[in-house]
Amino acid sequence: MKKKILIFIIIGIVIYFTIAAIEFCCIYAVQGDNIWNYINDFWNWYKKLF
């Protein structure tokens, strides 16, 4: 039972970081080289989720 819960937690963490990477790539594709402000906004938004 504990092993199953651990697997779900690991899957959740992997999904979270995958979505974060996809959003980062989308921002980079839209903004190009002018990305620093958008990275700051991105991380501030994710910090607020915690």
Side-chain angles (χ1 to χ4, degrees):
M1 187 68 169
K2 289 183 181 182
K3 187 176 181 182
K4 196 178 241 186
I5 293 171
L6 181 63
I7 290 173
F8 284 127
I9 290 171
I10 292 172
I11 289 171
I13 292 170
V14 169
I15 290 172
Y16 177 80
F17 283 111
T18 303
I19 291 171
I22 290 169
E23 288 184 16
F24 179 76
C25 291
C26 289
I27 291 170
Y28 183 75
V30 171
Q31 296 301 322
D33 292 334
N34 187 17
I35 194 170
W36 183 248
N37 292 332
Y38 294 95
I39 292 173
N40 286 332
D41 291 340
F42 173 80
W43 288 117
N44 289 334
W45 184 76
Y46 267 90
K47 287 179 193 175
K48 289 179 183 179
L49 288 177
F50 289 114

